[in-house]
Amino acid sequence: MSAARRSAGPSAAGHRAAPARGVLPNHAPESGASESDVLPNHAPEGGQDPATPALAPDHEVLVIGAGFAGIGTAIALQKAGVTDFLVVDEQDDVGGSWHANRYPGIAVDITSFSYSFAFEPYPHWSRAFPPGAELKAYADHCVDTYGLRARLRTGARVTRADWDETAHLWRVRFAGGATLTARFVVCATGWLTKPKTPDLPGLDRFRGPVVHTARWDPRVETAGRRVGVIGTGASAVQLVPRLAPEAARLDVFQRTPIWVFPKPDVPIPRVVRRVFAAAPWTQRSISRATDAVTELSFVLAMIHYRRFPFLVRAGEAVSRLYLRRQVRGDRDLVRRLTPRYRLGCKRPSFGSGYWRAFTRPNVELVTESVTEVTESGVRTADGVHHDLDVLVLATGFHVLDNLPPFPTHGTGGRDLREFWRTERFQTYEGTAVKGYPNLWFIVGPYSFTGGSWFGMIDYQLTHILRVIGEARRRGATEAAVRPARHDRSFRRTLRRQGDTVFLDPSCRGTNSYYLDEHGDAPAVRPASTRTAGRRARTFDLDDYRFRRAGDDRADLL
């Protein structure tokens, strides 16, 4: 009988739980303290602590990251009866990007009905596209509703993870020297965690404030000042309309224009919110509808681009029409703001007033490349010096080049980053990697389907919990995806990738984080969320090899 039909989820049967090890403080280290003061150091470098049994790690599951991916993982583990887990995050609170990013105008760019857990609808959204503070509040709501604070450690930055082939566990090190061991590790660190600072000569010489959108300093004063914004991605689309009315002058330095669509952001009346609270099924119904629209528009248009190219062209036509209505009568400005690449090569955005902001007399779009930053401004390739008081970097994040976000060594001590760089980004079903047992990525190569972020989290957790459940059922301490099955999955992904818009010649040179140096598009899984979910529910569990530490048998039945 196929193992895919033997187990549907975790069970306590056949699993010997690790002994309790006490509760760690649920806060970042206080001033003067290091992580080593608040995290147990059971497994010092150089070998396993003799007092720690091989089959009793500090925790059965370690979840790295306390954004929505990590929060969802913790809730799913708890619901499945896996209680010995710990969630760690380098920041001082939960929420991930929604805790770190606080620039003016920050908001979600997908409707709140889709950007939430299906099992935990939130009736308190004030708008269809709520501001960032409400997303942070929703993260807190989920953590508190499901009682996760006691299993959460903030201020704990992972610096390295090593697979112990003998004990079948991961040794995870933290800044400050502490080490935790875990049977299974779920990497839920997300994409938007490491801000990208442009390599511009003289950036450190600028005398005024320099602030990245991902590390916004509310003390920086922009009203009545000359402000420069470098970058025209999704963050700039939200930030520029907020800065334009208040800045004495705003120069926006554009390298690549962005496709923008009108943002149907409307307030949600209180009476509607009361209906959502009293009858959650009403909100779920809307969520299913918005999910379907998002899936159809992205999957059909971009994932199946070669079969439906007219959908991409139609989307481009809508965006161009919106641009002409926002920027009336200025053909040169329209030309400079119009992308020269196919819709989908780079992440598009929804905007309210972004393009219109460039029609203001105090706002200038600069398309000449930046050559240097001086003490008092920015110089561009045409020799013009732009005098500035404040410089804002809306230059995005390291995405693919930050995977994994810390050195990770699997079987034979091979570094995962080296493996991906030399042999291309590849995964089994978007979550596991051959040679790295008991490790899964919520957001890794070929995981995001382009629809709802929460839909991706859901299907990834379905996959992970099935494997952990099967390992428990078999009494296994190692679950390793079989290399042949891994390679077959990767080949299937590459074949489907050929139909996507990402391989269109116009995508080359767009500096899109969807693409890597190999010409692949590993940031997006070429499948619908529904297809990925079906695969997560039905893949053959015998695609994994299950073993027990100290047992010479190749597989456990």
Side-chain angles (χ1 to χ4, degrees), residues 97-138:
S97 296
W98 300 108
H99 173 62
N101 287 263
R102 304 179 185 183
Y103 59 83
I106 183 171
V108 68
D109 58 3
I110 186 173
T111 72
S112 57
F113 304 108
S114 290
Y115 201 82
S116 53
F117 293 113
F119 59 82
E120 189 62 31
Y122 191 61
H124 308 298
W125 303 120
S126 66
R127 310 186 64 83
F129 292 79
E134 292 187 22
L135 274 299
K136 173 63 172 71
Y138 179 56

Side-chain angles (χ1 to χ4, degrees), residues 395-451:
T395 47
F397 298 84
H398 294 276
V399 177
L400 294 172
D401 54 351
N402 191 44
L403 290 177
F406 44 82
T408 304
H409 302 89
T411 303
R414 184 165 192 183
D415 182 78
L416 180 53
R417 181 168 294 192
E418 176 194 7
F419 170 64
W420 276 339
R421 298 311 182 276
T422 58
E423 299 189 30
R424 305 167 76 176
F425 284 102
Q426 52 185 285
T427 53
Y428 170 77
E429 297 295 328
T431 183
V433 187
K434 64 180 180 182
Y436 298 84
N438 294 14
L439 173 68
W440 297 277
F441 289 83
I442 298 292
V443 191
Y446 302 107
S447 59
F448 182 46
T449 58

Side-chain angles (χ1 to χ4, degrees), residues 355-416:
W355 278 330
R356 187 181 295 118
F358 292 102
T359 66
R360 298 179 63 93
N362 66 321
V363 179
E364 180 181 357
L365 175 68
V366 183
T367 55
E368 293 288 338
S369 60
V370 175
T371 56
E372 67 169 333
V373 179
T374 69
E375 292 183 347
S376 58
V378 166
R379 192 181 311 279
T380 49
D382 56 0
V384 175
H385 186 272
H386 303 261
D387 297 327
L388 302 173
D389 301 313
V390 179
L391 185 58
V392 177
L393 306 179
T395 47
F397 298 84
H398 294 276
V399 177
L400 294 172
D401 54 351
N402 191 44
L403 290 177
F406 44 82
T408 304
H409 302 89
T411 303
R414 184 165 192 183
D415 182 78
L416 180 53

Side-chain angles (χ1 to χ4, degrees), residues 444-464:
Y446 302 107
S447 59
F448 182 46
T449 58
S452 168
W453 192 259
F454 287 78
M456 174 200 64
I457 295 172
D458 181 67
Y459 91 73
Q460 293 283 59
L461 291 174
T462 298
H463 179 122
I464 294 167

